[in-house]
Amino acid sequence: MLRGMVDTFNPHYLHFCHEINIGLEFLSTQNALQSLAYRRYLSQIRDELTGLYNTANFAQQWAEQRNKAQQGTLFLIGFALSGMHRIKETCGSLVWDRYLVEFSDLMRNCCRNQEQCFRADESAFFILGTQHSEEEQQSLIQRIAVQFEKQYQNTSHVLRPRLHHAIVPDCGALEDGTQASELLLEQLRSLSSSPLSFSEQMHYDDLAALRSEIYQFPERDWSIAACCRKLSISPSYFHRIY
């Protein structure tokens, strides 16, 4: 070997490079396997269409949120879209899927305090989180309702889903998250299964516009008499259709 030059063909150096390559290949394979395992885990706990959590790990999320709720109150809100099967029969599965993705994005964007969002059923959704006052919970419901009305305000009532919401009272006192989710899902199914009456169908657009205005201006005096004047109907008729 010439003075000052490295003999790159030294067998010890070649063996060293071989061992380094084996180690790097092992790390690369290990990372790929960990990535595949994590993706498999996500596919089990998340809904494929919307990307929201499914109810497979609801109990775990419930327990974690209960631990975080030391300084606040645990709450569980459910939302359901009714009329979706009619929309699917009229426009097909693609529009059905688009409506569900749009609502899941809307709901997620309205959450501001690290709440967890779930797709609980075909067209039912949960929001699980903690609050420091009841106003925070009502504000979240109102934000979602307002954005929902804005999104479909120019859509024909035939192709416009109805939004329902329900709340599990004192859900923080329940030890089992599964019990809370089943209770809420039962309420949502009951609300969304009630069909529109003939009178409701006639005034659907007017009632939707009234709801939107109530959500946007809650500080106004929304008495029964004021609502009836807006719709030009009698109080008894208003009670029957709304």
Side-chain angles (χ1 to χ4, degrees):
M1 183 179 73
L2 297 177
R3 186 184 298 271
M5 295 182 64
V6 179
D7 185 5
T8 56
F9 297 95
N10 186 295
H12 296 292
Y13 177 72
L14 292 177
H15 179 72
F16 170 76
C17 291
H18 178 68
E19 294 296 328
I20 290 296
N21 286 333
I22 291 177
L24 292 174
E25 187 67 26
F26 173 78
L27 290 176
S28 176
T29 303
Q30 188 180 51
N31 288 336
L33 290 174
Q34 289 177 349
S35 176
L36 288 174
Y38 183 65
R39 292 184 182 184
R40 182 173 180 272
Y41 169 72
L42 288 181
S43 68
Q44 292 174 342
I45 66 172
R46 289 191 180 273
D47 176 57
E48 292 183 0
L49 177 64
T50 64
L52 301 179
Y53 286 113
N54 57 36
T55 53
N57 73 328
F58 182 80
Q60 177 184 345
Q61 295 290 341
W62 174 274
E64 291 178 2
Q65 289 288 350
R66 285 192 78 221
N67 292 334
K68 293 179 183 178
Q70 299 300 324
Q71 304 300 323
T73 304
L74 188 69
F75 72 85
L76 180 62
I77 308 173
F79 293 90
L81 304 177
S82 64
M84 292 294 291
H85 286 284
R86 182 187 68 249
I87 293 171
K88 186 175 184 179
E89 292 172 358
T90 305
C91 303
S93 299
L94 187 60
V95 175
W96 160 287
D97 290 345
R98 179 169 61 82
Y99 275 31
L100 294 176
V101 172
E102 287 175 350
F103 182 74
S104 65
D105 290 341
L106 180 155
M107 184 175 64
R108 192 159 34 195
N109 291 335
C110 287
C111 293
R112 299 175 180 173
N113 295 311
Q114 298 181 333
E115 296 91 348
Q116 299 288 359
C117 298
F118 299 82
R119 184 182 179 192
D121 202 355
E122 280 190 337
S123 54
F125 301 83
F126 292 169
I127 297 179
L128 177 65
T130 59
Q131 65 185 28
H132 296 280
S133 66
E134 188 175 345
E135 287 74 16
E136 293 176 0
Q137 179 177 301
Q138 295 302 322
S139 177
L140 175 58
I141 295 173
Q142 182 177 327
R143 284 198 302 272
I144 292 175
V146 169
Q147 293 303 317
F148 182 82
E149 293 292 345
K150 286 182 179 178
Q151 187 159 323
Y152 297 108
Q153 61 184 353
N154 297 321
T155 305
S156 167
H157 75 273
V158 177
L159 302 178
R160 183 188 303 172
R162 286 189 296 165
L163 179 64
H164 310 272
H165 79 270
I167 302 172
V168 177
D170 300 325
C171 64
L174 300 174
E175 293 292 337
D176 186 7
T178 304
Q179 178 185 358
S181 66
E182 290 177 352
L183 178 62
L184 184 57
L185 198 55
E186 183 179 347
Q187 294 182 48
L188 292 174
R189 286 171 177 166
S190 175
L191 289 170
S192 58
S193 63
S194 57
L196 284 173
S197 66
F198 179 73
S199 299
E200 288 175 320
Q201 293 179 38
M202 286 180 58
H203 295 279
Y204 187 89
D205 291 334
D206 294 333
L207 290 171
L210 175 63
R211 281 197 301 271
S212 178
E213 194 170 350
I214 292 173
Y215 287 135
Q216 292 183 54
F217 305 102
E219 71 280 0
R220 295 181 181 176
D221 178 23
W222 292 109
S223 62
I224 297 297
C227 293
C228 292
R229 284 196 299 271
K230 273 198 165 291
L231 299 177
S232 300
I233 57 178
S234 67
S236 59
Y237 187 55
F238 178 79
H239 280 292
R240 188 160 66 250
I241 66 174
Y242 196 55

